[in-house]
């Protein structure tokens, strides 16, 4: 029986390691994006407290469909390649939404930080000005409070 040389064994181990990385890479690349789907409870917002407000996210590949309990929906594109936990998109408030946002379009950015969802929304008003809305959401951890404080920018 012939034993492999140390160099040959090292090449074989390196080849196996490369094969494992290639096979597992797609799972690692999607790990951050898989954090988006589900129902998120609003923890804090600069648009007025709402203990019953939530949003739901469904994911189809890199596309996120976001709907909210308070009358808006959005579509966002998650950056799967960078694994950044970031998605950017557009949306619209329902015509029946209460307040001055009813029917207004907006840009939205979603970022996951420390297992919480940070939302930045920029609403285009009728007079051409833009109004920002910021909120932090938490997923399915009752009794938790927001660990982050929103900062005025």
């Amino acid at each position: 029986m012939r034993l492999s040389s140390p160099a040959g064994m090292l090449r074989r181990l390196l080849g196996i390691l490369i094969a494992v990385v290639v096979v597992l890479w797609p799972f690692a690349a999607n790990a951050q994006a898989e954090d988006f789907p589900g129902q998120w409870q609003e923890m804090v917002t600069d648009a007025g407290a709402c203990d019953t407000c939530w949003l739901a996210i469904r994911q189809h590949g890199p596309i996120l469909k976001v709907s909210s309990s308070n009358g808006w929906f959005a579509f966002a594109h998650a950056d799967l390649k960078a694994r950044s936990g970031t998605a950017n998109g557009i949306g619209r408030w329902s015509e029946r939404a209460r307040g001055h946002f009813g029917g207004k379009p907006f840009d939205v950015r979603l970022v996951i930080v420390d297992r919480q969802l940070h939302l930045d929304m920029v609403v285009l008003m009728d007079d051409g000005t833009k109004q920002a809305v910021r909120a932090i959401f938490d997923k399915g951890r009752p009794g938790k409070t927001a660990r982050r404080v929103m900062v005025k920018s």
Side-chain angles (χ1 to χ4, degrees):
M1 183 170 173
R2 193 178 115 178
L3 295 174
S4 297
S5 71
M9 186 179 282
L10 183 60
R11 268 187 259 135
R12 188 174 307 146
L13 286 173
L14 186 58
I16 291 170
L17 179 62
I18 290 172
V20 168
V21 168
V22 167
V23 168
L24 294 179
W25 186 262
F27 298 106
N30 287 329
Q32 206 55 16
E34 290 174 1
D35 291 340
F36 281 111
Q39 187 162 322
W40 296 83
Q41 180 69 41
E42 185 177 291
M43 304 305 290
V44 63
T45 182
D46 62 0
C50 178
D51 293 338
T52 59
C53 292
W54 53 264
L55 58 83
I57 300 177
R58 289 192 196 172
Q59 183 171 348
H60 305 283
I63 304 301
L64 304 176
K65 180 181 178 187
V66 185
S67 56
S68 76
S69 63
N70 57 346
W72 60 265
F73 67 92
F75 291 94
H77 185 270
D79 188 355
L80 300 181
K81 290 181 183 176
R83 295 176 40 201
S84 63
T86 301
N88 294 293
I90 58 172
R92 181 173 291 277
W93 282 85
S94 166
E95 293 290 340
R96 296 183 301 251
R98 293 184 305 177
H100 56 281
F101 291 141
K104 304 290 187 291
F106 59 84
D107 292 324
V108 68
R109 178 179 170 89
L110 305 167
V111 181
I112 295 178
V113 177
D114 294 335
R115 296 176 51 201
Q116 290 187 322
L117 181 72
H118 292 240
L119 174 137
D120 289 309
M121 177 188 291
V122 179
V123 183
L124 181 60
M125 304 307 286
D126 289 336
D127 63 1
T129 62
K130 295 179 180 181
Q131 187 165 348
V133 176
R134 299 177 79 196
I136 299 174
F137 295 82
D138 202 83
K139 188 191 278 186
R141 294 187 291 170
K144 291 285 185 180
T145 58
R147 293 185 299 249
R148 301 273 186 225
V149 176
M150 289 187 293
V151 179
K152 296 282 184 189
S153 48

